[in-house]
Amino acid sequence: MKKDMRYWTEEEQEYLQDNYGRFTMEHLRKNIGRSESAIKNKVVQMKLGRWYANLEGVTQNEFAEALNVHHQTITNWNQNYGLPVRTKRCRKSYFKIIMIDDFWKWAENHKNMIEWDKVEKHILGAEPDWAKHARDAAIIAKNKSIKKIPWTKDDDAKLLWMLKQHKFTYNEIASELQRTHGGVKRRIRDLGIKLRPVYRDNHKKYTQEEIDYIVAMYQEGHSFQTIAEKLNRSEAGIRGKLERIGFSFNNRVLSKKEMEEE
């Protein structure tokens, strides 16, 4: 294909700057009279940024790509959890679009449905302050969950010794061995050990300060594991308390680790 060596006029550059992100690439190509590759190269030269960052709204497929989820996930969020999706007409075709402002308003109440560590910062334009906290919380949780250090003979010996003392809880054993609650539970099962950790006093009431802390941490996007560790409570207890005060987790996709611990 012959490379387009024509100089860009000031009018062409102004048009591209004003309309990049507002219209499809096909629309820009026809109106400027240049190839898609020429437009993309000029976008880089003019430092106009990612396509998504310049849009008031993105198509459903572009939105799914930006959030690193399947497009069916977006459909599910729309149908079951109220994610605003609009239908736009372009000549004879119709396509679904998510307006950026609509998304951020929706996402603030559905933080825990999104894997923020997989969402590139500012890929959808300027972000609200809470998004940073949600991303940081997701990164902390992911760093804990991806720890895949094999169990050693010393680890197994210490696990068995702690179980024989009949005084350590799951959290205490997990903390000592630098494992997760679910990891300890699986190792006990894999080794065929009949002993179990002691259970903490489930009748210990939550203080209002603890409840406020749990709600604030959860709304920032922190995992049950992180909250439980901070308060020296069980993950099941944290989840149960949130459910009892009105939180519903049908709209939260649990991690594989959390499902194994349920």
Side-chain angles (χ1 to χ4, degrees):
M1 182 182 292
K2 187 176 179 181
K3 188 175 181 179
D4 189 346
M5 301 297 294
R6 291 175 297 155
Y7 287 106
W8 282 71
T9 66
E10 289 188 11
E11 286 185 358
E12 288 175 324
Q13 293 182 63
E14 288 178 2
Y15 180 87
L16 180 61
Q17 186 168 14
D18 291 341
N19 294 285
Y20 177 66
R22 294 180 58 200
F23 301 106
T24 65
M25 181 59 73
E26 179 67 14
H27 181 94
L28 295 176
R29 189 184 66 76
K30 290 181 178 180
N31 280 274
I32 299 177
R34 291 184 180 266
S35 67
E36 182 173 336
S37 61
I39 293 174
K40 288 181 176 179
N41 288 336
K42 195 62 180 176
V43 164
V44 174
Q45 292 174 11
M46 294 175 67
K47 298 180 179 180
L48 297 182
R50 296 290 297 271
W51 178 270
Y52 310 116
N54 293 275
L55 292 174
E56 292 180 359
V58 295
T59 66
Q60 184 164 307
N61 285 340
E62 290 168 337
F63 182 75
E65 182 179 342
L67 265 63
N68 274 295
V69 298
H70 196 277
H71 68 86
Q72 290 180 345
T73 299
I74 306 303
T75 299
N76 176 49
W77 289 353
N78 169 241
Q79 294 177 349
N80 298 311
Y81 308 115
L83 172 67
V85 177
R86 305 186 187 187
T87 301
K88 295 286 185 179
R89 180 178 180 180
C90 182
R91 296 185 178 177
K92 296 182 180 180
S93 299
Y94 290 88
F95 58 95
K96 293 181 178 180
I97 191 168
I98 292 89
M99 307 304 290
I100 303 303
D101 286 345
D102 289 347
F103 163 69
W104 286 119
K105 291 175 183 177
W106 176 85
E108 186 170 8
N109 295 316
H110 299 81
K111 297 185 188 74
N112 291 287
M113 293 181 66
I114 301 167
E115 294 185 78
W116 292 101
D117 57 303
K118 293 184 179 180
V119 181
E120 181 183 327
K121 189 176 182 180
H122 299 310
I123 196 171
L124 292 171
E127 297 181 349
D129 291 339
W130 60 258
K132 179 183 184 303
H133 296 299
R135 183 176 288 106
D136 290 345
I139 291 172
I140 291 172
K142 184 60 65 69
N143 287 340
K144 290 181 178 179
S145 66
I146 63 175
K147 190 175 182 180
K148 299 293 184 182
I149 301 175
W151 285 77
T152 65
K153 290 183 178 179
D154 286 342
D155 291 334
D156 290 342
K158 182 178 283 190
L159 170 62
L160 182 58
W161 179 85
M162 294 185 78
L163 290 170
K164 286 181 176 179
Q165 303 311 302
H166 301 290
K167 65 178 183 179
F168 296 109
T169 65
Y170 271 111
N171 275 13
E172 288 168 337
I173 295 174
S175 177
E176 178 64 25
L177 296 175
Q178 296 187 332
R179 304 283 175 172
T180 64
H181 177 117
V184 170
K185 192 173 184 179
R186 287 192 297 275
R187 192 58 178 173
I188 292 172
R189 181 188 63 212
D190 292 344
L191 293 174
I193 299 173
K194 302 301 182 182
L195 297 170
R196 293 292 183 269
V198 300
Y199 288 89
R200 64 184 71 252
D201 182 7
N202 292 326
H203 299 293
K204 180 183 175 183
K205 291 185 177 180
Y206 285 85
T207 66
Q208 188 59 49
E209 184 178 0
E210 285 181 311
I211 294 172
D212 292 342
Y213 180 82
I214 291 169
V215 171
M217 288 283 283
Y218 180 75
Q219 289 181 330
E220 284 187 5
H222 290 279
S223 66
F224 298 136
Q225 178 189 349
T226 299
I227 301 171
E229 288 175 354
K230 294 289 186 181
L231 295 178
N232 194 27
R233 297 273 190 171
S234 70
E235 294 174 46
I238 297 299
R239 180 186 175 105
K241 171 53 68 175
L242 285 167
E243 288 178 333
R244 288 192 294 276
I245 61 178
F247 281 83
S248 171
F249 302 110
N250 292 328
N251 63 345
R252 183 179 188 275
V253 179
L254 295 179
S255 68
K256 182 179 179 181
K257 175 181 71 63
E258 288 173 330
M259 287 190 286
E260 290 173 343
E261 293 175 5
E262 283 297 302

